[in-house]
Amino acid sequence: MRFCNIFRSIVLLLMSIMLLAGFTVVRQGYDKYREALEGMSLEEKVASIQAKEGYTRLEALPPVYVNAVVSVEDHRFYGHFGIDPIAIGRAVLHDIQAGRYVEGGSTITQQLAKNLYFTQEKEMSRKVAEVFMAFQLEEKYDKDEILELYVNSIYFGDGYYTAGDASRGYFGKEPAEMNEYESTLLAGIPNAPGRYAPTKSQELAEKRQRQVLRRMEACGYFSQEEVETVAAQMVALQ
């Protein structure tokens, strides 16, 4: 009986510590979020992105490119409220299995929040701040506006920070002129521009492109035949 009481006390103590630590992280994250907004308002940040030379409107991008980005980055983008509990749960499971931080479960909105305000540091308080900022983005902007800002604030390699600049730089085309092969190739690059930029390795770029195509098929944007048609255009993996 005494052992049971001791064990129960230890469990309660550990739970209290975990709750306190969780509250502390949330508080730190909220403080980072508030400090970020005090440094520059969200409206000012968004305006600075929209003022960039090469800023590309969503309607100037091929639908296949937009669908590819959503498929591979955040396929529930148009249905969630800034965070994706399913993706977060999956990421936590994978992190536990790996014994380290390997997956974040971030939505497009969270990635935009990070690109606008935060660093790449893998700290829980930064992730919490990112969540608060994602909620703010979802409150002030609609989904298409968020997606448009996202593809104008991610790095495509070779010094390109907008989808339009990347299209012109890699393919010599205006973004609206990209075909299915080019659109799906471009959608995969931001995951790791140092590896997947076609100027770095066409083979790795097309391996990543295959992942994009599989996600598009799984999400219903492409049929198997359409995937095979695009895959047949690959040059490095033939």
Side-chain angles (χ1 to χ4, degrees):
M1 179 67 70
R2 182 176 179 181
F3 174 79
C4 290
N5 289 334
I6 293 173
F7 180 75
R8 188 180 298 112
S9 298
I10 291 173
V11 170
L12 289 172
L13 177 61
L14 289 173
M15 290 179 63
S16 298
I17 292 172
M18 290 174 65
L19 287 171
L20 180 60
F23 176 79
T24 301
V25 168
V26 171
R27 183 67 204 184
Q28 290 173 343
Y30 181 77
D31 288 343
K32 285 187 177 183
Y33 154 73
R34 293 303 309 169
E35 288 170 8
L37 288 180
E38 287 169 5
M40 182 178 286
S41 72
L42 185 55
E43 291 80 4
E44 289 174 313
K45 274 286 187 181
V46 167
S48 70
I49 297 297
Q50 293 172 332
K52 284 170 34 175
E53 186 177 356
Y55 185 85
T56 310
R57 295 290 179 185
L58 201 64
E59 57 265 27
L61 293 165
V64 65
Y65 171 74
V66 174
N67 292 338
V69 171
V70 171
S71 296
V72 78
E73 295 294 342
D74 181 8
H75 69 280
R76 283 183 285 270
F77 172 67
Y78 284 100
H80 63 59
F81 50 92
I83 63 172
D84 184 347
I86 297 174
I88 292 173
R90 183 190 64 242
V92 169
L93 178 60
H94 290 172
D95 290 347
I96 292 172
Q97 290 172 337
R100 58 191 177 90
Y101 184 96
V102 295
E103 186 176 339
S106 293
T107 63
I108 283 174
T109 313
Q110 286 175 265
Q111 291 180 60
L112 174 59
K114 178 176 63 179
N115 292 341
L116 290 177
Y117 283 103
F118 306 112
T119 67
Q120 301 294 322
E121 61 182 347
K122 294 180 178 180
E123 290 185 358
M124 285 306 300
S125 59
R126 195 273 295 163
K127 291 291 292 183
V128 171
E130 181 184 289
V131 168
F132 280 115
M133 195 65 72
F135 290 155
Q136 185 80 346
L137 280 163
E138 292 275 344
E139 180 180 338
K140 290 183 176 293
Y141 302 95
D142 65 34
K143 289 290 188 179
D144 284 348
E145 290 172 324
I146 290 170
L147 185 56
E148 181 177 290
L149 290 165
Y150 173 73
V151 298
N152 283 282
S153 63
I154 50 179
Y155 187 49
F156 292 88
D158 284 19
Y160 306 130
Y161 283 90
T162 72
D165 283 346
S167 174
R168 286 182 283 270
Y170 288 129
F171 312 126
K173 293 182 175 182
E174 289 301 313
E177 299 171 345
M178 285 192 295
N179 59 30
E180 292 182 339
Y181 171 85
E182 293 157 345
S183 293
T184 53
L185 184 73
L186 189 65
I189 295 173
N191 181 258
R195 286 169 52 84
Y196 299 137
T199 50
K200 299 291 189 295
S201 170
Q202 186 72 26
E203 182 176 357
L204 289 178
E206 290 185 347
K207 282 186 177 180
R208 172 61 176 165
Q209 184 181 19
R210 284 192 182 276
Q211 295 175 349
V212 174
L213 291 170
R214 286 196 293 268
R215 287 301 307 148
M216 293 186 74
E217 183 181 1
C219 294
Y221 290 115
F222 264 0
S223 67
Q224 184 178 352
E225 291 74 20
E226 288 172 313
V227 168
E228 291 172 353
T229 298
V230 176
Q233 301 173 47
M234 294 181 180
V235 294
L237 301 182
Q238 301 303 322

